[in-house]
Amino acid sequence: MSELLKVPTMAEFMAAGKQPEVLFWVGCAGSFDDRAKKITKAFVKLLNKANVEFAVLGTEESCTGDPAKRSGNEFLFQMQAVTNIEVMNAYEIKKIVTACPHCFNTIKNEYPELGGTYEVMHHTQFLKSLLNEGRLSIEGGEYKGKRITFHDPCYLGRANDVYEAPRDLIRKLDAELVEMKSCKSRGLCCGAGGAQMFKEPEQGHKDVNIERTEQALETQPQIIAAGCPFCNTMMTDGVKNKEKENDIAVMDIAELIANAQDL
């Protein structure tokens, strides 16, 4: 059994009369999906390593409302959003970090008009800031010289123009970053955005995630790096579809860094 992860809640901070440096918004995938839980754990290990005083909402966290909004249920979205905003404002939350670009985009861009204004960072941006401040160091370790291609999540890249933070982190691992033909502002969706994650695809010639996986495989990567739990699922499914799961790993950036640190 590995050492217990230190994950304090906002309620515990409040009871002690303290305020955390940052609220870690875990998100539905990071809380409930078995694969995404590993990303959550990797990120928590990095936060603990960097001595970041963070907290989670725990049972007080609800879905941001992104899937409801994207699938057209604005009423449900506003109900979910306002509930979250009331909780966070009661705790006087100022700064939020999340490993899910959907949560990132929704809280950053759609919560302010409902009364929730916070500084919101994607976990790759936050890890890069920890690196810049010297609170976290990255060694290449097992990823030195590995061919890694990065899949841009739509809500991180095209929706919010965050392209460099994840790539900087991959380079810091002394890995060889290889770009797909559709990358950065020309990136291709994994096929899960817009609440598509929760339904079967419509009739067509090819699933979007297969098309994207083929683009990734063209770069002959050893690892496909992702920065989103949904992208991770879709790319993993694509790699399995091509029967390459024994040759190519699909990993979140936080996992790459945590593994390199032997955390």
Side-chain angles (χ1 to χ4, degrees):
M1 179 71 189
S2 62
E3 59 178 306
L4 284 171
L5 288 178
K6 206 169 68 206
V7 188
T9 62
M10 272 309 299
E12 288 166 7
F13 264 88
M14 195 76 161
K18 294 197 306 183
Q19 195 66 348
E21 176 184 340
V22 66
L23 172 76
F24 172 27
W25 185 275
V26 183
C28 300
S31 301
F32 299 115
D33 180 84
D34 284 343
R35 175 65 187 88
K37 283 180 197 171
K38 294 177 179 171
I39 300 169
T40 303
K41 286 177 181 167
F43 185 54
V44 165
K45 285 175 181 173
L46 292 170
L47 291 175
N48 284 334
K49 175 99 192 298
N51 292 319
V52 175
E53 284 221 318
F54 74 98
V56 298
L57 286 173
T59 54
E60 294 185 274
E61 181 186 301
S62 169
C63 177
T64 59
D66 165 80
K69 188 177 180 78
R70 304 292 161 238
S71 55
N73 194 336
E74 180 67 23
F75 177 66
L76 177 58
F77 161 70
Q78 292 204 11
M79 276 173 41
Q80 290 178 304
V82 167
T83 304
N84 285 322
I85 289 166
E86 284 175 353
V87 169
M88 290 196 286
N89 287 353
Y91 281 128
E92 299 179 2
I93 301 290
K94 303 281 188 291
K95 188 172 178 180
I96 300 171
V97 62
T98 179
C100 174
H102 296 258
C103 300
F104 167 74
N105 177 68
T106 302
I107 300 173
K108 178 173 179 280
N109 298 320
E110 289 161 356
Y111 274 25
E113 65 185 9
L114 297 170
T117 306
Y118 319 99
E119 181 190 351
V120 189
M121 298 179 85
H122 185 249
H123 71 316
T124 56
Q125 294 175 304
F126 192 69
L127 289 170
K128 187 167 170 358
S129 72
L130 292 176
L131 207 71
N132 293 347
E133 292 162 19
R135 297 168 68 182
L136 192 66
S137 60
I138 300 182
E139 300 91 39
E142 59 185 292
Y143 300 111
K144 198 177 169 77
K146 289 267 170 83
R147 283 176 70 84
I148 301 180
T149 192
F150 178 67
H151 163 75
D152 287 287
C154 296
Y155 280 107
L156 185 64
R158 291 181 297 177
N160 287 288
D161 285 329
V162 178
Y163 298 112
E164 292 315 314
R167 287 174 170 80
D168 287 349
L169 293 171
I170 291 171
R171 290 190 194 99
K172 287 279 192 302
L173 291 167
D174 298 326
E176 184 188 349
L177 178 62
V178 286
E179 295 285 8
M180 295 182 233
K181 63 182 178 192
S182 302
C183 67
K184 299 188 179 173
S185 61
R186 298 176 57 89
L188 182 69
C189 177
C190 72
Q196 297 290 324
M197 181 77 182
F198 306 104
K199 56 182 271 299
E200 292 303 313
E202 287 91 358
Q203 198 58 44
H205 300 296
K206 188 194 285 186
D207 285 353
V208 176
N209 68 317
I210 302 301
E211 175 71 26
R212 187 55 166 163
T213 302
E214 286 170 359
Q215 290 187 356
L217 296 182
E218 281 172 14
T219 68
Q220 298 178 313
Q222 287 157 293
I223 296 162
I224 299 171
C228 169
F230 297 122
C231 297
N232 196 304
T233 298
M234 299 303 272
M235 299 306 283
T236 300
D237 287 352
V239 169
K240 283 179 181 162
N241 177 275
K242 299 290 180 189
E243 297 181 352
K244 295 272 192 207
E245 65 265 37
N246 295 328
D247 312 319
I248 299 170
V250 180
M251 309 274 289
D252 188 87
I253 301 236
E255 294 178 303
L256 294 174
I257 298 170
N259 290 354
Q261 300 274 27
D262 285 328
L263 294 179

